[in-house]
Amino acid sequence: MQIGISNLHRKGDEDEGIPHKLMTDIPKTYSPHEIEKKWYKFWLEKDYFHAADKSDKPSFSIVIPPPNITGSLHVGHALDNTLQDVLIRWKRMQGYNTLWMPGTDHAGIVTEIIMQRRLADEGTSREALGREKFIERMWEWKDESRGTIIDQLQSIGCSCDWARERFTMDEGLSKAVRTTFVRLYNGGLIFRGEYMVNWCPECQTAVSDLEVDPIEIDGNFYHIKYPIKDSDEFVEIATTRPETMLGDTAVAVHPEDARYQHLIGKTAILPILERELRIIADEYVDREFGTGALKVTPAHDPNDYEIGHRHQLDQINILNPDGTLNENAGTKYQGMDRFACRAALVEDLRHQEYLIKIVPHRHAVGHHDRCDQILEPYISPQWYLNVKPLAERAIEAAQKGEIIFIPERETKRFYQWMENILPWAISRQRWWGHRIPIWYCDDCNEVIAAIDPPDGCPSCDSQNLRQEEDVLDTWFSSGLWPFSTMDWPEETELLKTFYPTSVLVTGWDILFFWVARMTMLGLECMDEVPFRYVYLHGLVADEHGQKMSKSRGNTIDPVLTIDKYGADAFRFALVFCTLPNPYMPLPESQIEAGKRFANKIWNASRFLLMNLEDFDPSAKTEFSHSKMLCDRWIRSRFNATVKHIGTYLEEFRFSDVAHALYEFLWHEFCDWYIEMIKQRLYYTDDLNAKRTAQAVASEILEGTMRLLHPIMPFITEEIWQRLPHEGESVMVAPWPEPKPEWEDLASESAMRTIMDVIDNIRSVRGEMNVPPSSEIEVLVQAPNTEIRELLNAHLEEYLPAFTRFSQISIAEVQEKPAASASAVIGDLVIYIPLAGVIDIEKEKDRLQRRLDKVLKDFVGTQKTLDNPRFVERAPETVVEQKRARFAELTVEKEKLVANLEMLG
């Protein structure tokens, strides 16, 4: 299926309007902060961001991935929202009724953790405040954090519909949550059960499998004797969590393991507690792992939990919710922290001669991704959502092409997870969040699911009701975001106009956390997918490809970055680096390059504006197609750029958009076209030629500002307002569309030849160290008649803008002068006599010294790369750097040798 999000009618370039008067008084220095504040205020005052509930225009909508109310944004948010803003601004300019729905997420556990730390600093706690007062403090924090987040989003330039801002615990969204829960409960998909969960002793709540972060740690295998009852034998057990042995209820061996077959059915004695344990046979046991004998702790290991069910074993819970040991662990260990218990128990095992040995073992241990604490398998009553039927429908929708994932590889990941999905534990033992809409009747034990608090028990009319204490997993409310933000379950015009949304932009890491759940719940509640396209970008990394994190110290603070470089430079760097890879490096040097690009745009625009003071854009200029080759060329190149950028945006190729704009604006327009027309702007007596240059330069710059606006909105608005234009703002100006009459492939081919010749002449000057002030003679051998005529007609016209020369000779055949440098372009040969221009002997000496140094580096680098130990053991990035350096040295070596040969 072809990717594309512009298959609806769009507004063209035919909008009526009055040409704007030129503003040529542009400051010498680009000051981004003044410009950014001015224009954002202007856009807000004009209400450009607001979407109409109903409109004759085609609709385009995006819901923002709501940032958590945890204080401030990180670089991932900056990337996410810049890409969304690019799409929204592009579609707005195309004439769509665009909705970018903003909002924030209450973020459950992670926000509670922040508040608990704040309360600790105040000398109090969550428990001391009580639930009601604690939630009041959370709402205060929400208001404070929300303001910071919105300010930061606006500083990036986000053109969200701020009048529609939502919060996941607003009353409207809360009603949507309750409605969904009750619908799923009544449909038999939500149930309560006592199963093994991932338990966080720090947060004292269950967490889903997706919130488990497996981290490699240095641990140990503890080898322990389990005596056999009424025997001198023992079974050797190896475990990484010796404290859990206090909850053991069996020992398991493989039924075909000859070492232990004689023990099956006998009884082992649990060291320390002396509990009797059945020795059972189960095929789950891996004979090759550890000792081949497995301690079975059904209450504290998911695999043991399953073994326990198969063999009807007791489940002995030894942990309190806070991770301390309870009364089942024995009097000595009761009340101890789990890790303190481990140390004490190992010492007791050693003292009583049950400990055989301790073997270091590095292994992955599940940590809570919110607080970084080690999780415990724990049996707990929780609320679950059976998502299997919902997942099947979501898979079917993806298979039918109703929802398209970009990059395409993410579709496979989506299917893999959905096909193996397990019930979702949706309850959390916290206070901040959507309280589960279940009430219990204390008189008749009726369980009531209701959207609004019930007046009484429907079974016995009792008023003695109490609501469920648990709250819902944050991702449950986030899963309703695409339609709950549009006032569902009410049937609003907003919902009819903008649901399903057009595209979702987010990181690949929350495909399962959020995207899959939105897809399932959208289909369940709305009977339609929540979005047509899902663009899953990579995670921001440093210049070495390492994921950014505070612990590594390699993060980029968006606020500080914008203060230092400006929002446009930051945005351009983010888009430029957005490649379809899991991790996308964003070195600070790229942001610096974004700033240089902004300065280049500013300086080029300032130059043109200063040379447009006598230009009347309303006056008609006769456009000469026979004389103005560079004008026809730049128009054709602009036309091609318009086509390319339209395709790239349709296909979510963000980096290609930035590269195309950079290449056209910096190189073709600034480095070539502006240089070529300076003569006509400054010195020409041909007024028509000057007016043509002014007209073409201003129309190309104006069109380029429109093309660039979605990525760099502030500087483009500032420059566009000073150019001839129609309308109030570049933000609502029509998106440039290709013009067939501007396409001129012949002029592009001709200019490419001329530019190649000029480039090679300049390269020879540089390589041969010709002083900038020296004039050179240029001899061109052009056997092709058409090329020879082209160069005779135009080379002398354009070359003065780029280099000093005394004369040009273009002929079918040229005799190579002595002591001359040459360059070859296909069958074209360029000769530049150097005698009398440079000191030949001195230059040969300089080149030889440089060649000697290059050869030394070349040999050393080659020796390093020929060493297999270096290639195998060095980091991949270091090896690649060496290879790149070797390639550079190879090219430089060949050039130096060639230049020395040219000098005799």
Side-chain angles (χ1 to χ4, degrees):
M1 179 172 294
Q2 185 178 2
I3 296 171
I5 55 177
S6 286
N7 47 15
L8 300 171
H9 170 74
R10 66 183 65 160
K11 204 171 180 180
D13 284 339
E14 69 279 358
D15 291 37
E16 294 183 7
I18 300 171
H20 186 83
K21 186 179 178 181
L22 281 171
M23 297 166 58
T24 57
D25 54 332
I26 184 169
K28 185 176 182 180
T29 306
Y30 171 52
S31 302
H33 303 305
E34 296 172 17
I35 288 169
E36 289 162 12
K37 289 176 183 175
K38 175 179 73 175
W39 289 118
Y40 202 88
K41 182 172 180 285
F42 171 78
W43 296 330
L44 286 174
E45 289 171 350
K46 291 291 184 179
D47 209 21
Y48 290 146
F49 303 163
H50 189 58
D53 285 20
K54 291 180 69 176
S55 173
D56 294 332
K57 297 177 180 180
S59 62
F60 182 86
S61 57
I62 298 177
V63 290
I64 196 171
N68 295 338
I69 53 162
T70 49
S72 59
L73 303 180
H74 55 66
V75 69
H77 292 120
L79 170 64
D80 232 21
N81 291 291
T82 295
L83 298 182
Q84 291 170 76
D85 198 39
V86 167
L87 294 174
I88 282 289
R89 288 177 182 271
W90 168 48
K91 286 297 175 183
R92 188 182 289 121
M93 294 175 74
Q94 284 191 319
Y96 283 74
N97 180 25
T98 54
L99 169 66
W100 186 9
M101 181 71 75
T104 48
D105 196 302
H106 66 281
I109 294 172
V110 65
T111 317
E112 275 205 36
I113 291 170
I114 291 171
M115 180 53 68
Q116 285 173 204
R117 289 170 183 160
R118 177 174 282 202
L119 292 174
D121 292 340
E122 296 172 9
T124 186
S125 67
R126 184 178 82 136
E127 292 72 21
L129 282 183
R131 185 168 193 151
E132 188 176 334
K133 290 289 184 185
F134 180 78
I135 290 175
E136 285 178 13
R137 287 293 302 271
M138 292 301 300
W139 278 100
E140 290 172 9
W141 166 259
K142 175 260 177 185
D143 292 337
E144 177 185 333
S145 178
R146 173 260 166 206
T148 302
I149 289 168
I150 300 307
D151 286 348
Q152 290 175 356
L153 287 171
Q154 293 186 349
S155 72
I156 295 171
C158 295
S159 57
C160 299
D161 190 344
W162 297 113
R164 301 187 190 279
E165 183 192 342
R166 301 289 192 264
F167 176 57
T168 49
M169 285 178 63
D170 285 346
E171 178 47 42
L173 278 74
S174 295
K175 183 179 179 181
V177 169
R178 298 192 302 271
T179 301
T180 304
F181 182 96
V182 171
R183 173 186 291 191
L184 293 168
Y185 178 83
N186 290 338
L189 293 175
I190 286 181
F191 60 94
R192 185 171 170 81
E194 194 163 0
Y195 300 97
M196 180 159 285
V197 297
N198 305 296
W199 185 264
C200 178
E202 175 71 20
C203 301
Q204 295 190 39
T205 184
V207 300
S208 74
D209 291 343
L210 290 174
E211 295 166 275
V212 179
D213 189 7
I215 298 176
E216 290 277 331
I217 65 169
D218 291 318
N220 296 300
F221 260 131
Y222 299 87
H223 290 249
I224 304 166
K225 293 180 183 178
Y226 277 45
I228 304 301
K229 183 180 179 181
D230 301 329
S231 166
D232 293 334
E233 286 187 271
F234 64 85
V235 177
E236 183 178 341
I237 301 291
T239 178
T240 58
R241 299 160 64 218
E243 68 280 4
T244 62
M245 67 182 286
L246 302 173
D248 286 358
T249 55
V251 172
V253 297
H254 194 278
E256 297 176 2
D257 192 332
R259 294 172 296 175
Y260 301 118
Q261 280 187 339
H262 70 290
L263 295 178
I264 297 171
K266 293 189 177 182
T267 302
I269 304 298
L270 179 66
I272 308 297
L273 294 185
E274 299 186 352
R275 182 187 303 134
E276 293 191 354
L277 309 175
R278 288 166 51 199
I279 299 177
I280 60 176
D282 196 285
E283 291 184 350
Y284 167 77
V285 180
D286 184 350
R287 285 173 284 183
E288 307 303 320
F289 185 74
T291 65
L294 180 73
K295 60 184 282 304
V296 183
T297 319
H300 295 291
D301 182 277
N303 297 311
D304 294 3
Y305 177 80
E306 297 298 331
I307 293 173
H309 275 292
R310 288 196 290 273
H311 296 272
Q312 293 83 49
L313 301 177
D314 290 338
Q315 297 174 343
I316 301 176
N317 173 31
I318 61 166
L319 291 175
N320 293 313
D322 64 355
T324 59
L325 279 289
N326 64 22
E327 68 279 2
N328 293 329
T331 306
K332 177 173 183 179
Y333 308 112
Q334 184 177 356
M336 280 188 180
D337 173 77
R338 53 188 166 151
F339 299 118
C341 172
R342 178 181 297 179
L345 178 60
V346 168
E347 196 54 43
D348 288 344
L349 290 167
R350 190 195 311 276
H351 180 71
Q352 296 183 37
E353 298 184 351
Y354 289 116
L355 185 66
I356 298 172
K357 61 183 176 180
I358 300 175
V359 179
H361 176 61
R362 187 166 178 81
H363 61 134
V365 176
H367 288 63
H368 188 190
D369 67 353
R370 297 304 186 187
C371 68
D372 297 326
Q373 290 297 311
I374 291 177
L375 296 166
E376 292 289 342
Y378 190 75
I379 294 174
S380 171
Q382 301 291 335
W383 287 93
Y384 291 87
L385 171 57
N386 177 16
V387 287
K388 191 69 174 176
L390 280 62
E392 289 169 354
R393 195 172 176 194
I395 291 169
E396 183 183 1
Q399 289 172 339
K400 289 180 177 178
E402 294 173 18
I403 183 169
I404 296 172
F405 296 93
I406 301 144
E408 200 278 330
R409 65 172 179 267
E410 298 297 340
T411 308
K412 185 178 179 181
R413 289 182 63 230
F414 178 77
Y415 289 150
Q416 286 174 340
W417 190 73
M418 296 298 252
E419 287 164 358
N420 298 287
I421 201 165
L422 297 173
W424 172 14
I426 57 173
S427 51
R428 298 291 180 269
Q429 290 65 54
R430 307 300 296 178
W431 289 348
W432 176 241
H434 295 279
R435 198 164 172 181
I436 291 176
I438 289 286
W439 283 261
Y440 303 101
C441 177
D442 286 336
D443 291 335
C444 73
N445 297 323
E446 178 75 11
V447 178
I448 307 148
I451 295 171
D452 299 310
D455 296 329
C457 176
S459 296
C460 70
D461 293 328
S462 171
Q463 301 296 306
N464 195 13
L465 305 179
R466 57 184 172 83
Q467 188 177 355
E468 169 65 64
E469 294 287 329
D470 289 356
V471 298
L472 287 164
D473 180 4
T474 300
W475 295 105
F476 189 92
S477 55
S478 299
L480 312 179
W481 186 251
F483 50 93
S484 64
T485 51
M486 298 184 196
D487 305 321
W488 184 88
E490 306 303 322
E491 293 184 8
T492 62
E493 290 295 335
L494 184 69
L495 195 62
K496 291 176 186 175
T497 300
F498 291 109
Y499 189 92
T501 62
S502 306
V503 60
L504 177 77
V505 177
T506 192
W508 62 263
D509 57 327
I510 56 173
L511 173 59
F512 310 134
F513 274 117
W514 191 43
V515 180
R517 287 163 173 170
M518 281 191 290
T519 305
M520 292 188 290
L521 292 170
L523 284 163
E524 175 67 21
C525 296
M526 297 293 298
D527 203 31
E528 273 192 284
V529 293
F531 18 71
R532 298 302 185 197
Y533 293 90
V534 179
Y535 177 75
L536 297 161
H537 59 71
L539 307 184
V540 182
D542 64 16
E543 58 192 293
H544 305 296
Q546 293 287 320
K547 181 182 176 182
M548 288 190 176
S549 68
K550 289 181 180 178
S551 60
R552 289 194 179 102
N554 62 351
T555 57
I556 291 174
D557 185 320
V559 176
L560 296 179
T561 303
I562 290 170
D563 285 345
K564 184 175 181 180
Y565 297 106
D568 283 331
F570 187 35
R571 287 170 63 111
F572 185 80
L574 287 166
V575 177
F576 196 90
C577 292
T578 301
L579 298 168
N581 299 325
Y583 293 95
M584 34 175 286
L586 179 66
E588 189 166 3
S589 59
Q590 188 59 60
I591 306 172
E592 291 170 352
K595 184 177 181 179
R596 288 195 297 274
F597 186 45
N599 286 333
K600 180 84 168 181
I601 295 166
W602 185 263
N603 292 335
S605 301
R606 183 172 181 269
F607 167 79
L608 282 178
L609 286 165
M610 289 169 62
N611 285 280
L612 292 177
E613 289 180 353
D614 62 344
F615 176 59
D616 180 2
S618 62
K620 297 296 181 184
T621 300
E622 182 182 342
F623 190 76
S624 172
H625 284 268
S626 59
K627 295 180 181 176
M628 308 299 174
L629 174 63
C630 67
D631 299 331
R632 299 196 301 276
W633 165 75
I634 197 64
R635 275 186 156 195
S636 190
R637 291 304 306 140
F638 174 76
N639 204 53
T641 303
V642 169
K643 283 196 271 189
H644 291 321
I645 289 172
T647 299
Y648 299 153
L649 284 169
E650 290 282 351
E651 298 176 355
F652 302 95
R653 292 161 58 184
F654 292 101
S655 182
D656 288 341
V657 174
H659 276 80
L661 282 164
Y662 183 89
E663 286 299 316
F664 175 77
L665 194 48
W666 188 300
H667 296 300
E668 294 180 319
F669 186 67
C670 294
D671 287 353
W672 286 101
Y673 182 70
I674 289 180
E675 292 301 320
M676 286 176 173
I677 63 170
K678 281 182 178 178
Q679 182 80 10
R680 288 154 65 189
L681 294 175
Y682 286 160
Y683 309 115
T684 185
D685 294 327
D686 185 343
L687 190 59
N688 182 58
K690 178 178 182 179
R691 293 288 179 257
T692 301
Q694 290 174 320
V696 173
S698 61
E699 72 181 351
I700 296 299
L701 182 58
E702 187 274 336
T704 308
M705 291 303 97
R706 284 187 280 147
L707 279 181
L708 185 60
H709 177 74
I711 299 178
M712 303 177 79
F714 298 106
I715 192 171
T716 52
E717 184 74 89
E718 178 71 17
I719 292 168
W720 185 87
Q721 291 285 351
R722 296 170 181 275
L723 289 165
H725 66 260
E726 296 180 358
E728 287 185 329
S729 168
V730 68
M731 175 182 287
V732 290
W735 179 254
E737 298 292 346
K739 297 179 179 180
E741 68 273 19
W742 280 24
E743 184 174 295
D744 190 339
L745 300 182
S747 291
E748 287 193 43
S749 176
M751 279 302 303
R752 193 156 44 244
T753 299
I754 294 166
M755 290 158 67
D756 283 345
V757 170
I758 294 172
D759 262 340
N760 276 272
I761 293 170
R762 296 174 75 190
S763 293
V764 168
R765 285 194 69 129
E767 289 169 12
M768 292 302 182
N769 216 22
V770 176
S773 59
S774 297
E775 290 188 341
I776 57 171
E777 182 183 356
V778 178
L779 288 74
V780 181
Q781 178 175 291
N784 182 286
T785 304
E786 188 178 337
I787 297 297
R788 194 163 59 251
E789 289 175 355
L790 170 71
L791 295 177
N792 274 315
H794 296 287
L795 185 59
E796 196 163 354
E797 176 186 353
Y798 295 128
L799 188 57
F802 302 98
T803 191
R804 289 175 176 269
F805 64 95
S806 55
Q807 63 176 1
I808 298 175
S809 171
I810 302 167
E812 183 177 0
V813 178
Q814 295 277 14
E815 184 177 344
K816 182 183 178 182
S820 65
S822 63
V824 178
I825 313 165
D827 61 358
L828 273 176
V829 182
I830 302 167
Y831 298 116
I832 299 177
L834 298 173
V837 178
I838 61 172
D839 185 324
I840 301 292
E841 293 305 316
K842 188 175 179 181
E843 181 59 17
K844 284 167 66 176
D845 182 60
R846 184 188 74 82
L847 291 171
Q848 187 62 55
R849 281 186 282 110
R850 178 62 189 162
L851 178 60
D852 291 343
K853 184 178 186 309
V854 168
L855 283 171
K856 182 179 178 182
D857 290 348
F858 178 87
V859 171
T861 306
Q862 187 175 45
K863 187 176 179 181
T864 301
L865 288 171
D866 286 344
N867 182 351
R869 293 182 66 187
F870 168 78
V871 176
E872 291 167 8
R873 297 183 181 183
E876 188 176 341
T877 53
V878 174
V879 175
E880 286 305 313
Q881 286 170 0
K882 278 287 181 188
R883 285 174 176 155
R885 178 60 180 152
F886 184 72
E888 290 171 3
L889 291 167
T890 302
V891 171
E892 188 173 3
K893 175 173 72 75
E894 291 170 355
K895 277 189 177 181
L896 288 167
V897 169
N899 290 346
L900 278 165
E901 288 176 353
M902 283 190 285
L903 293 179

